[in-house]
Amino acid sequence: MGASASVRAEGDRPLPAGPLLVVEHLTARRGGRTVLEDVSFEVPTGTTVAIVGPNGGGKTTLLRALLGRVAVTGRIRWSGAVRVGYVPQKLIDVDIPVSVEEFLGMKCPGSYASCLATVGLPAAILSEPLSALSGGELQRVLIAWAIVDRPALLLFDEPLSNVDVGSQEAVVDALARVRSDLGITILFVTHDLHGLRHFADRVLVLDRTVRFEGTVAELRADRARTAELFGLRPAHDPPAPPTPGGGR
Amino acid sequence: MTALPWYGLLTAAAVGLSAGYVGSLMVLRRMALVGDALSHVALPGLAVGLLLGFNPYVGAFAFVLAAAFVTWIIERSTQLTVDAVVGVLFVLALAVGVLLTPEPDLLEALFGSPASVGPGGLVDGLAVTLVAVLATRAIYRPMVLSVISEDLAASAGVRVAAVSLAYLTLVSLVVAVGVQVVGTLLVGALVIVPAAAAKLLGTNLRRFATLSAILGLGSAAGGTALSVPIDVPAGPLVVLLGVAAFAIAWVAFALLRRRAEGPTGPRTDRDAPAAPSVLPRPGPAAPTVRPGGQAP
């Protein structure tokens, strides 16, 4: 378990020493079903970690457990008093008369110009109601909300799931600035690593339990392991005959 | 000409203001019908007060608060939706209330009577308004965050369940005082209609909440004042004025939307002027989680 400080991410960006977060033997149950089982990993300070896995694999539950919103057994250790920013996958309702400025002010009163600049949005958007924003704009406003009080860690559930293809680059770009300009450690969840593959230093494959932990390069280098983890057939293989029950 | 019931009129204005303000959160939470149904639960509380000889509005408050608390518990501990729970409570309360309420008092309990409000009722109304407005103001932002996403609110340190319970207590307070003006059948309208109208015209939270409070005050005071010269119960007039405001807001909303939509091109993201991409150049694809599929 865990990443050592000597690990280098794709792109040769050195990982700062010391974990910001250590999760040990985390187990969570919901409705009589084990959603997370003996999950252990570390998030080194200053890194970007992707949690990838199939739907129902416990990714969102893990983020909610880190927020203290899910009853778990095991240990979650932080390096001191860590301020956490969070962007959820789904919002209950944004069709309400709340301007962007009011929304940001619900977390931290003050000036939001630099915060919006980081996520690539103009200051003029402050007077817009949330309901008038496009999916990409809303996602970037949510990032701005999460970072407005300068957290040490940003938890992001499915950064690209509610964003059309044309806006995905802007969202990834905003996250890249959060990392480079503010030095915020990022832990994000995705079911599709494709759009964010250049962005993660490390990858954690989660399917109820941790199935793989390493860099994207390590994951990609081991094609057999990748195929096993994701239930994929290598592109050059002939089609496999159908099996009863199929799947993984 | 009959003199205006000044105590009742001022109480109606105060209750209308607080109901409009508190109700704005009810509409944001999409609990408008819940608010309406909860108000009917005041009836058996009034009845118990009348039968046992204590302040019937204290009974109303106790019953509405108990119903709100039961709703809150069931909502958080079962898969039942709130409207289903409140639907059961509503019919139960109405049935029990009509059976228990002494017949001479039933009409006043159902439709209210501002003319019977005395100095004590006015003081109660003003005190409740002060408490309700100040407390609602204190929990307004946490409540709105919870409406957007409970997890989002929790990540900002909001104690979602506690704030929700505090809010339901405030609703109970306002409803209990409001029944003396418009009665148990119509007090729900005082909570919902002004907020529904304000939501049509509100582009930000401050404007929405303020407009909702003003419309609540206007419809409650206006309905009560008009009830004297035309000699009809105040409750229905209060509701009719509120619905008239809603209709006007609806027309204004439609006109504003038509003007805003206009002949424009396709909707695109608004980006900051200097926002160059800092993404690395694309390379080979990483795997997509698609069980059983072909590697992309």
Side-chain angles (χ1 to χ4, degrees):
Chain A
M1 138 184 159
S4 72
S6 63
V7 171
R8 279 180 179 265
E10 195 176 27
D12 291 325
R13 206 158 59 84
L15 300 180
L20 183 73
L21 163 69
V22 179
V23 173
E24 295 172 328
H25 309 295
L26 204 71
T27 295
R29 294 176 64 79
R30 190 175 59 207
R33 193 171 70 89
T34 301
V35 188
L36 295 173
E37 186 170 17
D38 198 26
V39 171
S40 298
F41 66 94
E42 290 182 3
V43 176
T45 303
T47 59
T48 300
V49 177
I51 300 175
V52 61
N55 291 331
K59 304 186 296 296
T60 296
T61 303
L62 177 58
L63 287 197
R64 297 187 78 229
L66 296 178
L67 290 171
R69 296 277 291 163
V70 177
V72 294
T73 59
R75 290 183 73 189
I76 298 172
R77 290 192 292 130
W78 303 90
S79 67
V82 174
R83 184 176 287 164
V84 177
Y86 173 63
V87 180
Q89 180 185 0
K90 288 178 187 167
L91 301 179
I92 301 171
D93 194 356
V94 288
D95 188 19
I96 54 178
V98 177
S99 70
V100 171
E101 185 169 19
E102 286 174 327
F103 177 60
L104 296 175
M106 286 176 196
K107 191 172 191 192
C108 184
S111 169
Y112 312 112
S114 70
C115 188
L116 287 174
T118 301
V119 298
L121 287 172
I125 210 164
L126 282 169
S127 60
E128 292 284 329
L130 292 182
S131 55
L133 304 181
S134 72
E137 288 170 343
L138 180 60
Q139 200 74 318
R140 285 188 279 165
V141 166
L142 287 171
I143 297 172
W145 187 87
I147 64 169
V148 70
D149 57 348
R150 295 296 180 97
L153 175 66
L154 173 63
L155 301 177
F156 204 148
D157 197 349
E158 297 283 5
L160 304 180
S161 67
N162 299 313
V163 181
D164 59 44
V165 175
S167 303
Q168 287 186 355
E169 184 178 319
V171 172
V172 179
D173 219 34
L175 278 174
R177 279 198 199 85
V178 167
R179 181 172 67 181
S180 61
D181 296 359
L182 306 179
I184 293 175
T185 304
I186 300 173
L187 177 62
F188 69 90
V189 149
T190 181
H191 70 283
D192 179 357
L193 195 55
H194 181 82
L196 292 159
R197 64 189 181 278
H198 306 293
F199 186 62
D201 297 319
R202 297 189 63 76
V203 180
L204 193 79
V205 179
L206 185 70
D207 186 3
R208 200 180 61 166
T209 189
V210 176
R211 304 282 304 279
F212 172 86
E213 189 180 5
T215 64
V216 177
E218 288 167 354
L219 179 63
R220 209 171 50 218
D222 190 344
R223 296 182 69 87
R225 180 89 169 125
T226 304
E228 179 207 339
L229 288 171
F230 293 102
L232 300 170
R233 285 178 282 104
H236 56 269
D237 285 353
T243 54
R248 311 174 57 218
Chain B
M1 184 176 167
T2 312
L4 279 174
W6 284 106
Y7 290 125
L9 184 63
L10 291 174
T11 307
V15 171
L17 176 85
S18 55
Y21 190 52
V22 172
S24 62
L25 280 174
M26 190 69 91
V27 168
L28 287 188
R29 293 184 76 191
R30 296 179 185 264
M31 288 176 69
L33 283 177
V34 173
D36 185 44
L38 270 181
S39 66
H40 303 321
V41 179
L43 186 59
L46 287 173
V48 169
L50 289 168
L51 288 173
L52 300 182
F54 64 86
N55 187 337
Y57 300 110
V58 172
F61 171 67
F63 269 64
V64 176
L65 183 61
F69 187 66
V70 169
T71 306
W72 180 79
I73 293 277
I74 294 176
E75 180 195 5
R76 303 201 83 81
S77 58
T78 74
Q79 297 299 311
L80 276 176
T81 55
V82 178
D83 56 344
V85 179
V86 172
V88 174
L89 288 174
F90 159 55
V91 289
L92 174 70
L94 206 55
V96 172
V98 170
L99 288 175
L100 288 182
T101 309
E103 202 169 332
D105 301 311
L106 186 59
L107 205 61
E108 187 177 322
L110 288 174
F111 298 106
S113 175
S116 64
V117 176
L122 173 61
V123 170
D124 290 348
L126 292 176
V128 164
T129 295
L130 190 66
V131 170
V133 169
L134 291 179
T136 303
R137 185 176 161 79
I139 63 169
Y140 211 97
R141 290 181 169 194
M143 280 288 293
V144 172
L145 269 184
S146 304
V147 170
I148 295 170
S149 162
E150 288 197 356
D151 285 341
L152 198 76
S155 76
V158 174
R159 295 170 64 196
V160 176
V163 168
S164 177
L165 186 59
Y167 175 66
L168 287 172
T169 305
L170 292 172
V171 172
S172 306
L173 256 182
V174 171
V175 164
V177 177
V179 291
Q180 61 183 328
V181 178
V182 288
T184 57
L185 276 187
L186 297 176
V187 70
L190 210 52
V191 177
I192 297 155
V193 178
K199 187 166 184 277
L200 290 170
L201 299 177
T203 51
N204 61 53
L205 214 50
R206 180 186 293 270
R207 181 174 171 176
F208 163 63
T210 306
L211 191 56
S212 183
I214 290 171
L215 289 176
L217 185 153
S219 59
T224 304
L226 282 175
S227 71
V228 176
I230 56 181
D231 195 24
V232 293
L237 276 183
V238 169
V239 174
L240 287 177
L241 277 184
V243 173
F246 177 81
I248 292 168
W250 193 6
V251 171
F253 168 74
L255 293 174
L256 287 172
R257 190 169 63 173
R258 181 178 294 182
R259 199 174 66 178
E261 281 175 350
T264 55
R267 183 82 171 78
T268 54
D269 280 12
R270 286 154 285 195
D271 290 319
S277 175
V278 295
L279 291 173
R281 298 180 68 82
T288 297
V289 181
R290 205 176 299 149
Q294 185 83 9

